[in-house]
Amino acid sequence: MFKALIGRLKQGHRTMEFPSAGIKLPPRFLGMPGISHAACKGGCAKCAGVCPTGAITLLAEKPVLDLGRCVFCGKCAELCPAVFKFTGEYRLAARERKELFRCDEAVKRTRTLDSEMKRIFGRSLKLRQVSAGGCGACEADCNVLQTLTYDLGRFGIQFAASPRHADGLLITGPVTQNMKLALLKTYDATPAPKIVIAAGACAISGGIYSGHPETAGIPEEIPVDLYLPGCPPHPLTILDGILRLLGRIE
Amino acid sequence: MNGPKLLNHLESTGFETLTALDPGMFYRVASERLRAGGRAVSYFGLPEEGGTRLILILGFDSERRLEALSVSVTDSFHSLTPEFPQLHLFEREISEQNCLEAKGHPWLKPVRYPLKSGSPVSPGTADFFKVHGSETHEVAVGPVHAGVIEPGHFRFQCHGELVFHLEIALGYQNRGIERRLIGGPDKLTIHYMETLAGDTTIGHATAYCRAVETLSDTEIPPRADILRGIMLELERLANHTGDLGALAGDVAYLPTASFCGRLRGDFLNMTALICGNRFGRNMIVPGGTAFDIDPALAKELKLRLDAAFKDVKNAAGLLWSTSSVMERFEGTGLVSKETALALGLVGPAARASGVRLDTRHNFPVGAYKLKAVLPADAPESGDVYARAYMRWLEIKRSYELINEFLYSLPGGPVSIEPGAMRPERFVVSLNEGWRGEICHVAVTNAEGGFRHYKVKDPSFNNWQGLAMALRGGQISDFPLCNKSFNLSYCGHDL
């Protein structure tokens, strides 16, 4: 008992302030990519060629980067550092799939739920996490949010053990054929109104498994309210996205 | 040739030198070598004209020797599982992947339920062992679990709280990676390797890169070897620390659970400091590493490492001196040494049962050639306590190793451009990930691309160990036993 108390004193207070201007990510961290169309001569399509997941397409000969497919490997920036610049910006979440396509423009922040949904979920949100394929890294970074470093609970957000007790689902993985039925049943078991969050490149677009016959993607019956890009998304990306969705950060 | 082919770890070997034995001879020699102490490192089917070539790779760990045996079969093969249980899942996998009947296999059911055109069979729908009698009952759990965790199905046969038998059905995470690797490498290959098991990115990516480097006769710079060692040990530190926290959480000892949850993140952040990603993505590349550690970064790492280790020591120490924790850890989830050997368990789980087996020691490469890693001196009692304490011993060892590696970083570049892979060759690449032995076997085709690529995650060996640990225990012991193994679903399902 005394050892535990002494241990508690030694370990100190470790919960980070959030949101905070003081958050510093490692210098080599790859966050929101900036694309400069002015620096691009256009038409060579080499960036689309090096991208492993087909995240880069050309629009009027200039690159468009789909954050929903990007695995943040930085290959495009290696090839063409003048055009692609990954910043340390971790705030990547979007409400609609089309908002994840990055051209040469300023970043928009995630919009809040409509007022009725915000009234219901804004102060207390219970999520059922469904892992459906993938590599387990997104799940690991969701788990991290429950540690005292991020302390998700202080925002009134918790992961629930049963879909019956949940206000929504947080889906990770490309949704394998083998998990599709379980995901649909879990969605049906969650009482309405409910929200759905797709976390990670796999859940959003299939990621590196896109096009595998073994994967199905999130079924159309399940409408997604929030997209969290990354492979995996940084815990701060997840936290920021959910808090913005709930209108807790403006 | 009448006997097994001797192999060296990470030696490019001509595929034609691996002659197919006469079937009778194959089963006889395989049984002989397994009886002589051989451990199945890998056993898989390679499609060939007119049938399938079965390739069995055996490890003789104390002698640091590998052997390969091979046989050509058409529509069935003779199961050796009844005498050698360690082959049970390998044979089921061969049967499933190559549409072969494993004749005499005692429990031939699918492993991953891969999508087959026309008749999709859902995982968890095959037969399960049943126990009949008054007051016996069955408990089914999953695939969607209570925690934030990957999917799997667990079927308990019980009498009250007492568990007679646990059967584990996986396959929900099957996303078809192995099939997609054939014909490569291409721009996706390294990403597949990094995500075979997301928490073992460095372990699998290193095993893959070494296989490619061997097949292309590429010698990587010594600095890259040491850097890879640092990354692998950081991965081990993060995961073992997280496991100690999770174990504490499952016996409701919150101080260590809270402390270790934070500390795991600190180790992940150290990894991110080196390569930008908390899981070590983008770090290991064929030919070396993508990032270097300069003196300033080494200094920063050392500071953070010392601080985190001090706190882990404190957090782990609380476990061993708290009687309510020890009461739950000791004697729970027993796996005897005999069982561990018979099932071919690997990694910390095997070492905790007294099987002294560590790829870093038995088949050392790179950084571990300079620094021999002896299996840690653990309690060997095979219970949750032994598996937890083994984690702590390995945390200590990894901390020492990183210190030594940082101190002995040689100069020079961190990578060189790998050449083309040579055609018609094969290689066995082993690596001690934090869960245990990772095995990659690559076979090249006439053009020097992958004709076949076989991955074995340590979880493939160890899931059956978890099932055995539950026998005679209580259902309520399951979370604790599960965390003490902490196996990968995606690494198994591929």
Side-chain angles (χ1 to χ4, degrees):
Chain A
M1 183 67 200
F2 284 116
K3 277 187 182 169
L5 287 173
I6 293 165
R8 174 69 190 82
L9 282 173
K10 278 187 183 165
Q11 302 268 347
H13 178 263
R14 298 289 183 166
T15 305
M16 67 157 68
E17 198 186 324
F18 190 88
S20 154
I23 290 173
K24 260 181 75 183
L25 286 164
R28 286 170 181 169
F29 171 77
L30 300 185
M32 177 69 87
I35 300 170
S36 162
H37 276 182
C40 176
K41 291 191 193 75
C44 83
K46 278 185 191 157
C47 50
V50 296
C51 179
T53 55
I56 299 173
T57 47
L58 295 191
L59 183 73
E61 301 206 327
K62 302 285 173 98
V64 178
L65 178 62
D66 178 5
L67 285 181
R69 284 186 180 274
C70 182
V71 292
F72 296 81
C73 66
K75 290 280 185 320
C76 50
E78 250 169 62
L79 176 87
C80 220
V83 178
F84 298 93
K85 276 199 183 68
F86 283 86
T87 64
E89 175 61 81
Y90 63 83
R91 292 171 288 191
L92 306 175
R95 290 292 309 280
E96 280 179 60
R97 182 70 182 89
K98 63 173 191 278
E99 291 171 358
L100 292 172
F101 290 86
R102 291 276 297 137
C103 277
D104 191 359
E105 89 278 342
V107 179
K108 290 191 213 79
R109 296 275 174 254
T110 314
R111 284 173 290 110
T112 305
L113 288 166
D114 66 45
S115 57
E116 177 60 9
M117 291 287 267
K118 192 179 152 187
R119 187 185 67 77
I120 298 171
F121 298 129
R123 287 181 297 171
S124 164
L125 180 71
K126 300 270 185 287
L127 291 170
R128 173 60 267 194
Q129 202 276 322
V130 183
S131 163
C135 73
C138 291
E139 292 80 353
D141 268 351
C142 288
N143 265 322
V144 157
L145 291 175
Q146 305 187 75
T147 64
L148 47 83
T149 313
Y150 296 92
D151 191 15
L152 191 63
R154 70 182 142 150
F155 303 105
I157 306 162
Q158 278 167 332
F159 288 105
S162 163
R164 302 260 187 232
H165 303 157
D167 302 314
L169 302 183
L170 188 147
I171 303 169
T172 55
V175 188
T176 55
Q177 298 286 359
N178 289 348
M179 264 310 282
K180 191 176 165 185
L181 180 64
L183 173 62
L184 283 168
K185 283 187 173 181
T186 310
Y187 180 72
D188 288 340
T190 311
K194 48 193 162 186
I195 61 167
V196 174
I197 300 170
C202 285
I204 299 173
S205 68
I208 63 171
Y209 312 116
S210 169
H212 286 208
E214 291 86 352
T215 63
I218 297 179
E220 278 177 18
E221 303 91 294
I222 304 182
V224 176
D225 298 284
L226 182 69
Y227 296 91
L228 301 168
C231 184
H234 193 280
L236 289 171
T237 306
I238 306 174
L239 187 57
D240 169 77
I242 299 177
L243 291 181
R244 276 177 201 281
L245 180 75
L246 299 179
R248 302 287 290 272
I249 313 178
E250 295 288 335
Chain B
M1 199 183 74
N2 293 325
K5 175 167 177 54
L6 285 181
L7 287 181
N8 285 321
H9 178 217
L10 285 177
E11 185 177 65
S12 163
T13 311
F15 188 72
E16 77 291 344
T17 64
L18 186 65
T19 40
L21 301 178
D22 162 71
M25 176 77 87
F26 172 82
Y27 300 118
R28 198 169 62 244
V29 177
S31 304
E32 233 167 63
R33 301 310 293 149
L34 283 160
R35 245 174 256 136
R39 187 173 56 82
V41 169
S42 192
Y43 188 21
F44 61 95
L46 177 76
E48 63 176 9
E49 214 178 304
T52 305
R53 181 80 86 87
L54 301 187
I55 296 170
L56 171 63
I57 313 281
L58 292 171
F60 293 83
D61 303 292
S62 52
E63 300 152 51
R64 301 186 170 186
R65 194 154 51 88
L66 291 171
E67 293 180 358
L69 282 165
S70 147
V71 65
S72 288
V73 297
T74 45
D75 43 39
S76 70
F77 66 105
H78 174 64
S79 169
L80 298 174
T81 297
E83 193 183 347
F84 307 104
Q86 57 165 317
L87 296 178
H88 80 109
L89 201 55
F90 288 109
E91 291 189 341
R92 275 168 59 182
E93 185 190 40
I94 291 171
S95 178
E96 179 176 84
Q97 291 187 337
N98 303 283
C99 300
L100 297 172
E101 189 195 345
K103 283 196 170 149
H105 193 291
W107 199 230
L108 193 60
K109 53 186 259 184
V111 179
R112 304 188 178 97
Y113 302 82
L115 184 79
K116 290 211 182 82
S117 56
S119 64
V121 190
S122 310
T125 50
D127 287 345
F128 287 89
F129 273 100
K130 293 263 185 229
V131 175
H132 296 286
S134 67
E135 292 182 32
T136 59
H137 63 108
E138 188 179 67
V139 178
V141 181
V144 181
H145 301 293
V148 179
I149 189 170
E150 295 178 73
H153 181 79
F154 301 89
R155 195 72 70 94
F156 299 85
Q157 306 299 328
C158 308
H159 184 261
E161 269 285 297
L162 180 72
V163 179
F164 286 133
H165 183 69
L166 161 64
E167 197 167 347
I168 301 167
L170 302 175
Y172 298 93
Q173 297 279 69
N174 179 240
R175 52 215 187 277
I177 296 180
E178 276 191 325
R179 189 183 51 73
R180 182 56 187 66
L181 292 174
I182 292 167
D186 54 38
K187 60 185 178 178
L188 267 170
T189 308
I190 186 73
H191 297 282
Y192 286 127
M193 295 300 169
E194 288 179 336
T195 56
L196 287 166
D199 51 20
T200 316
T201 295
I202 301 292
H204 276 292
T206 306
Y208 160 70
C209 289
R210 285 202 193 117
V212 170
E213 287 149 10
T214 305
L215 289 168
S216 59
D217 300 315
T218 307
E219 188 140 346
I220 66 165
R223 191 174 176 86
D225 266 333
I226 304 291
L227 287 172
R228 285 179 179 184
I230 292 171
M231 298 310 287
L232 189 67
E233 296 308 322
L234 269 177
E235 187 167 88
R236 198 182 319 277
L237 276 174
N239 284 297
H240 281 357
T241 303
D243 282 354
L244 286 181
L247 282 164
D250 272 349
V251 297
Y253 188 66
L254 297 185
T256 303
S258 305
F259 303 152
C260 285
R262 184 266 297 186
L263 288 161
R264 172 178 169 275
D266 286 358
F267 289 120
L268 293 179
N269 289 340
M270 284 177 224
T271 303
L273 199 61
I274 299 170
C275 67
N277 183 286
R278 288 154 52 86
F279 295 88
R281 305 275 165 86
N282 308 331
M283 177 67 183
I284 312 290
V285 292
T289 62
F291 296 95
D292 197 0
I293 299 180
D294 63 19
L297 183 55
K299 204 175 150 198
E300 170 73 16
L301 266 178
K302 179 89 180 79
L303 276 176
R304 291 196 189 195
L305 193 66
D306 288 345
F309 178 72
K310 202 175 113 219
D311 287 348
V312 175
K313 193 174 174 183
N314 170 258
L318 290 174
L319 289 176
W320 326 128
S321 61
T322 304
S323 51
S324 67
V325 171
M326 292 301 283
E327 207 282 319
R328 288 287 286 125
F329 279 15
E330 283 181 323
T332 305
L334 276 172
V335 178
S336 68
K337 184 174 180 179
E338 292 67 41
T339 306
L341 281 171
L343 292 175
L345 300 193
V346 295
R351 295 194 279 277
S353 289
V355 180
R356 301 210 159 203
L357 166 72
D358 189 322
T359 311
R360 291 173 293 172
H361 176 67
N362 303 117
F363 299 99
V365 250
Y368 304 100
K369 268 188 181 161
L370 307 173
K371 213 71 230 178
V373 179
L374 285 164
D377 201 12
E380 304 190 350
S381 48
D383 51 5
V384 170
Y385 165 66
R387 287 187 286 278
Y389 200 76
M390 178 54 79
R391 299 293 213 295
W392 162 238
L393 291 175
E394 293 193 13
I395 287 169
K396 273 205 291 192
R397 190 74 190 108
S398 293
Y399 168 71
E400 290 162 12
L401 279 172
I402 296 178
N403 270 320
E404 285 162 27
F405 290 160
L406 279 174
Y407 184 71
S408 58
L409 258 182
V414 296
S415 70
I416 61 163
E417 191 61 36
M421 295 196 293
R422 287 166 66 191
E424 314 273 1
R425 303 191 81 78
F426 80 102
V427 66
V428 178
S429 176
L430 303 175
N431 194 18
E432 186 76 10
W434 65 275
R435 281 194 187 91
E437 179 194 76
I438 291 165
C439 174
H440 287 204
V441 184
V443 185
T444 54
N445 59 23
E447 289 79 44
F450 290 133
R451 176 182 169 193
H452 201 74
Y453 200 96
K454 188 81 204 100
V455 174
K456 190 217 65 181
D457 187 83
S459 305
F460 193 79
N461 301 90
N462 285 3
W463 274 110
Q464 192 61 29
L466 170 61
M468 295 306 287
L470 252 286
R471 282 202 179 172
Q474 302 205 323
I475 299 182
S476 51
D477 291 334
F478 177 69
L480 187 58
C481 291
N482 192 21
K483 295 276 166 41
S484 75
F485 281 86
N486 191 8
L487 301 174
S488 174
Y489 300 73
C490 53
H492 173 280
D493 290 346
L494 302 174

